[in-house]
Every structure is written in C-alpha cells, then in structure tokens.
Amino acid sequence: MSRAEDLPVLRRPRRQQILPGFGLTMGYSITYLSLIVLIPLAAAFLTAAKLPLAQWLHVLMAPRVLAAFRLSILASLAAALVNAVFGLLIAWVLTRYEFPGRRLFDALVDLPFALPTAVAGVALTTLYAPNGWLGQLLAPLGIQVAFTPLGVVIALTFIGLPFVVRTVQPVLADLEPDLERAAETLGAGPLLVFRRVIFPALLPALITGSALAFSRALGEYGSVIFIAGNIPLVSEIVPLVIMTKLEQFQYGEAAVVAVGMLLLSFAMMFAVNAAQLALQRRHQARR
Amino acid sequence: MRRREDFPGSDGSARLAGRVALIGVAVLYLTLFLLLPLITVFVQALAKGLGAYWQALSDGDALSAMRLTLTVAAISVPLNTVFGLAAAWAISKYEFRGKGLLLTLIDLPFAVSPVISGLIFVLVFGARGWLGGWLGEHDYRVIFALPGMVLATTFITFPFIARELIPLMQAQGRDDEEAALSLGAGGWRIFRTVTLPNVRWGLLYGVLLCNARAMGEFGAVSVVSGHIRGVTNTLPLHVEILYNEYNFVGAFATASVLAMLALVTLGLKAMLERSHPELRAGRPGDLVPRPPQAAAP
C-alpha cells in the first residue's frame, strides 16, 4: 500500500493545530481526571504503602483473605468459561438466524449492563433460594445454589454474558461469506466449516470478550453479596473482605487488599490490550 | 455489516434441525438467565397486590431514596458530560504526545471494583483519611453524605460519555471545524454550531448509559453512604436494607422501579441504535472497557 507520505509530490502540507481551545480542553480534562480518578486512586496505594512489609504479608496471607482471592479468581474464571461457550452460541444465533422475538432477545442481552447490580442480586437470590422457582427444581437433585460458591458463579455468569456476546457479534457479522461458501464448495460440512474457517476468525474476539467478562467479575459486588451468603472461608469474595475491613475502620488493611486487587485488575487490563495488539499484528502480517 | 442472507446455510432449506436446536438452546439460556430474574422482580413486587406495591413505593423512605438517586445523577452526569466533551475535543482535534496514555487513564475506572471506587474516597475524605481532620474542624461532611456519594458515582461513570464521544469525533475529523474557523467563527461558536450538532446522537447515547449506571450504582455508593435511612439512602441501597429486613414486597417494589429504568434505557438504546447504526458499529458492548477491535479476516 502506498501512503501519501511516501510520495513527496502528493504530500499534504502538515496540518497545523489551528483550532482554538487546546489549552482549555486539555487543561480541564487533565485537572478533572486528576481530581476524580488519579489522586483518589493514589490514596489507596499511599495508604497501603504506609504499612510495613511484614504487615502486608500478614494481611494478604490471612486464611480468610487467601480464601476470598481463591474464590473470586476461580468463580470469575468459571463464569468466564460458561460465558465463552454460551456467549458464542448466542452471538451466533442472534447474528445468523431469523426467528420470532430475535430483536427482543438481542436487546435483552444488554440487561446485565443496564439492570442495577443490587436488583440482579436480590432477583437471582429469590430465584435460586431453596423455595424459589429454580431452587425448587434443583433441590431434589441435591444441588444448592443460593449461599454457596455455586451461587457466586451464577451471579458472575449473569454479569458477564453481554461482554462475550457484544464482542463476538460484530466480528461474526463482518465475516467474509465467500470464505464459507468456498469451504462448502470444496466439500466441507457445516461443522468442519465452523471449526476451520469461522472459529479461528472469532477466536481473538472470543478471548477478548471472555477476558473482559473475567475482569468485570473479579470486582463485582452488588449481584454477588445477596446470593453468596458471605460465609468466611467458603463464599466470601474479595470486595466483601475489603468492605468488612472498612466497616471495622481498618483502613490500612482495607487499602492493602484493595491494592492487591487493583494490581490484579490492571494486569488483566494490560494483558487484554497486549493480547489484542499481538493478535492484530499477527493477523495483519498474515494478510 | 452483512445481512444474514449473505451467508451460506441461511437459505432456508438446509440444516433446519441443527438451526432449530441452536436457536432453542440460545432462547432457553436467555430466558432462564436473563428474562426469569427480570420477571421475578415484578412478580415479587406484586406478590401482595397492587395496594401493597403502591404503599411500599409511597413510603417516606422510598420517596427520599428516589429523590437522592435523582439528585446524585443530576450532579454526576452533567459533570461527566462536560468532561467527555472537553476530553473528546482535546483528543480528536489535536495531535500530541501521550494520547495513548491519556486514553488508558480515562478507561481506568472501568478496571476498578465498585467497592474500591468507594474505598478510595473514604481514604481521602473519611474521618481518618487525608483530609478527615481538616473537614472535621470545619464541620463539613463528605463521607456518609451527599458529596461522597456524588464523588463515588462520578468516578464509576467517569469514562462513559468520553468513551462514546472520542471514537465518534475522531472518525468525523476536524474538517468541518476548520471550515467554520476559516469563515471567521470563534472557538465557542464552532463548538456550539458545528461540533455539538455533529455529535448530538452519540452524546445522547453516552448520557443515557451514564445515567443508567449513575442511578443504579450500588457497591461504590454503599461504601460512602453510611446507610442512613431517609438521608443517605439511594434506591439500590434502599433495596438492600428492605431485603435484609425480610420486607420482600418493599425491596422488590423498589427494585421494580430500577428495573423499569433499565428497561426504558434498553428501549431508548435500541431505538437510537436502529436510527443511527454508527453508534453501534465498531463499538461492541457499550459499557465494555476499551472497545475491542478484534481482527476479522
């Protein structure tokens, strides 16, 4: 591809920044960003930094905190995997098939984004409680959802679904139909076409969507606390541990756990961005 | 965006059984996991009849929670709207170093747990926080009062409008504005008569989503509110209090108001997306951090 910059004759004069307002908008943006986001976030790091290292280890290695981290990570992972499978299936059905109520179901996918988490929390708890609509059906099978780690996974699955569907959907809609037609012409059945042609193209979006669902699940609070029962060592998530320490006025300890969590979240954010860049580069190189 | 009919296998003749099975699984999953919780809210709210429902909603504490929710949103959303417009203008109209870093920093609140979003303001303004002593001396409350709840909500919804406007204004470029400038318009006039009309639908879309989150935020507000009934209770916090008191009709009646807000938001969002497809194109998942631009072949 030849770009205009490569051809001296065609080069446009370097655009000067002639529009007014750079100082004002940039200055305002930076100030507002610092006041609302950066300085308060720094407070968590600085408060935690005041504690000696031994105290840090003591806080983070406490069985209750360790158990909470394990539950938060494993439950978020499980929910992300469920969403990867069903999110892909739902994105496929909504993009490729026409059926009565499709538009309604398509709009419904965004419900977890729009519904306040506390509302989702009380609704899910009522549904899955032993006497609830779904809890009643599961109880004879010996499956208890409410007030167990399984409840945490259910709530996190609810929260994460739109991330996968909404990330995969546009990629699926923009796939080249000719590729699939060519594969079909060459004798590939629908499953083979999906496995060899469609799935590889969707994989980056699927991974991104699942990673986003995972990150969101890690910090989720409102939808989980009602259904989890919050039993220490069993069904207590990290955000709740922070909340408990805060209620006991242990600001330093709360800040330490928060910093542990923030580092995990920022690492996830960084990994998602890096993975996407790498996949994009690999893809462009292949072109 | 391609149409369904473009793809092979959607011609209506082949593989009907497989298609029906897939649609069945998807519809069943969405019904069980999304529709059923929504229905539960309204069924539980009306479990003891319309009278009890109405009584729960006209309760003094419920009304004051509604007022507070509206007040918090009425402050946070305009704050983030002004920021969104300023940041989008700075980022889309000029070239400067560190633009990528600035975009990442704007996204930061998306990666922060709601509880931590509340915690950081307690660490700054709480009784034992950085400014706690000074605030105490001047008898000014931030935490367990309206300012703290506004701050936490503003933090949570910080990226929403900027994230909607930046890609939109980047795609539109600055030709219109430069044309207006060459015709002698000043900065403010350019913004008001050229830029604002150009981005109005994207702005509305961002405000809609920002408002829904501002009114529904629970975790962050819960940390800074102190749960004082009738004083620092927003609607989501009111749901929690009533639920924990086993007042299920009250809890779900309050929840139904929030659920209706969510439904209205989704309806308006779907309408905006249908009339202005560019709002959705290239930005999958509106509340998703960092719009993923996955590579398609």
Side-chain angles (χ1 to χ4, degrees):
Chain A
M1 202 169 101
S2 66
R3 294 173 305 159
E5 301 93 88
D6 300 331
L7 308 166
V9 190
L10 294 177
R11 187 189 294 161
R12 297 171 75 175
R14 202 179 122 73
R15 288 274 206 119
Q16 289 194 340
Q17 311 202 336
I18 50 171
L19 288 174
F22 179 72
L24 178 69
T25 53
M26 192 68 180
Y28 180 75
S29 300
I30 301 275
T31 311
Y32 185 76
L33 175 75
S34 307
L35 286 177
I36 300 287
V37 177
L38 300 183
I39 296 172
L41 266 181
F45 286 90
L46 292 174
T47 308
K50 269 192 256 167
L51 268 64
L53 191 64
Q55 182 86 17
W56 267 70
L57 290 176
H58 178 73
V59 171
L60 288 177
M61 292 297 150
R64 197 169 158 182
V65 175
L66 277 183
F69 266 103
R70 200 181 58 219
L71 175 67
S72 275
I73 292 172
L74 289 180
S76 302
L77 207 58
L81 286 176
V82 173
N83 279 327
V85 174
F86 286 96
L88 177 61
L89 190 148
I90 288 165
W92 173 269
V93 167
L94 290 177
T95 317
R96 289 296 176 91
Y97 303 144
E98 190 58 70
F99 56 95
R102 187 189 62 81
R103 273 188 174 161
L104 198 71
F105 281 107
D106 192 29
L108 191 68
V109 168
D110 282 327
L111 183 73
F113 281 151
L115 194 68
T117 54
V119 177
V122 294
L124 288 172
T125 313
T126 306
L127 268 181
Y128 287 97
N131 59 354
W133 292 347
L134 294 175
Q136 260 172 354
L137 300 176
L138 295 170
L141 308 171
I143 304 172
Q144 208 200 329
V145 177
F147 320 124
T148 68
L150 189 57
V152 178
V153 176
I154 295 275
L156 295 181
T157 307
F158 174 87
I159 285 299
L161 182 72
F163 287 92
V164 178
V165 177
R166 293 296 184 234
T167 315
V168 171
Q169 233 175 355
V171 183
L172 198 51
D174 274 344
L175 283 185
E176 206 58 65
D178 292 349
L179 279 177
E180 286 166 52
R181 235 173 240 137
E184 250 182 16
T185 318
L186 295 171
L191 280 180
L192 189 66
V193 173
F194 181 80
R195 199 160 52 85
R196 300 293 293 273
V197 178
I198 301 170
F199 188 72
L202 293 182
L203 193 59
L206 187 60
I207 293 174
T208 308
S210 311
L212 291 172
F214 176 80
S215 326
R216 169 71 201 263
L218 266 185
E220 177 56 25
Y221 177 75
S223 59
V224 177
I225 54 157
F226 296 98
I227 200 171
N230 309 322
I231 308 154
L233 298 171
V234 178
S235 61
E236 195 179 47
I237 52 168
V238 180
L240 193 79
V241 169
I242 298 174
M243 196 75 161
T244 311
K245 289 192 183 297
L246 206 57
E247 276 167 3
Q248 295 163 350
F249 296 104
Q250 297 167 322
Y251 284 13
E253 292 196 7
V256 169
V257 179
V259 165
M261 186 103 193
L262 281 174
L263 292 178
L264 203 62
S265 302
F266 292 160
M268 271 306 294
M269 191 173 161
F270 182 76
V272 171
N273 285 347
Q276 255 184 293
L277 269 180
L279 281 165
Q280 259 167 2
R281 273 204 204 109
R282 202 180 72 183
H283 176 76
Q284 274 158 4
R286 227 193 262 158
R287 254 193 182 172
Chain B
M1 190 67 106
R2 291 172 209 289
R3 283 167 308 140
R4 251 163 233 97
E5 301 81 60
D6 294 342
F7 291 97
S10 44
D11 47 18
S13 61
R15 309 194 284 261
L16 188 66
R19 192 188 316 171
V20 168
L22 285 177
I23 294 175
V25 173
V27 166
L28 186 70
Y29 188 94
L30 288 172
T31 306
L32 276 182
F33 275 82
L34 300 187
L35 200 54
L36 216 48
L38 190 63
I39 294 171
T40 303
V41 172
F42 292 101
V43 169
Q44 295 287 333
L46 296 168
K48 294 205 175 129
L50 265 175
Y53 177 74
W54 194 244
Q55 206 179 350
L57 285 186
S58 44
D59 171 66
D61 290 341
L63 288 177
S64 83
M66 263 175 237
R67 215 163 20 237
L68 185 60
T69 296
L70 292 173
T71 310
V72 170
I75 303 171
S76 289
V77 176
L79 278 177
N80 283 336
T81 306
V82 172
F83 164 72
L85 285 167
W89 178 277
I91 286 171
S92 63
K93 304 296 177 205
Y94 311 100
E95 297 307 323
F96 55 90
R97 299 181 79 182
K99 198 184 265 191
L101 178 69
L102 184 58
L103 283 169
T104 309
L105 291 178
I106 290 175
D107 273 350
L108 221 48
F110 275 142
V112 177
S113 166
V115 170
I116 298 177
S117 311
L119 165 80
I120 54 180
F121 291 102
V122 175
L123 294 177
V124 176
F125 297 106
R128 299 182 199 186
W130 286 355
L131 300 177
W134 188 85
L135 288 170
E137 278 168 28
H138 292 77
D139 200 27
Y140 188 74
R141 290 181 82 99
V142 174
I143 300 304
F144 304 149
L146 181 68
M149 305 174 79
V150 169
L151 280 171
T153 305
T154 308
F155 178 95
I156 286 280
T157 55
F158 183 85
F160 279 72
I161 294 169
R163 258 300 171 200
E164 243 8 272
L165 289 178
I166 291 167
L168 190 65
M169 281 170 73
Q170 276 181 326
Q172 287 174 349
R174 54 196 166 204
D175 292 347
D176 289 2
E177 281 82 2
E178 284 175 358
L181 185 75
S182 71
L183 294 173
W188 175 242
R189 184 147 177 230
I190 296 176
F191 173 76
R192 216 162 32 86
T193 57
V194 178
T195 310
L196 214 48
N198 274 347
V199 300
R200 65 183 187 277
W201 294 112
L203 183 64
L204 187 63
Y205 194 76
V207 167
L208 184 70
L209 300 176
C210 181
N211 180 63
R213 183 68 197 263
M215 290 191 173
E217 178 50 28
F218 174 70
V221 173
S222 173
V223 174
V224 294
S225 100
H227 302 96
I228 308 162
R229 265 185 117 113
V231 183
T232 61
N233 247 0
T234 58
L235 282 176
L237 299 177
H238 198 55
V239 172
E240 184 196 23
I241 289 195
L242 295 177
Y243 186 85
N244 287 341
E245 287 171 351
Y246 303 102
N247 179 354
F248 294 127
V249 168
F252 280 101
T254 314
S256 74
V257 175
L258 290 166
M260 281 187 268
L261 170 76
L263 289 177
V264 169
T265 304
L266 287 185
L268 290 174
K269 180 170 163 292
M271 269 168 58
L272 274 175
E273 280 168 359
R274 200 165 310 160
S275 53
H276 303 273
E278 75 277 6
L279 291 175
R280 197 171 188 174
R283 268 170 301 145
D286 313 292
L287 315 193
V288 166
R290 197 142 270 262
Q293 317 222 304

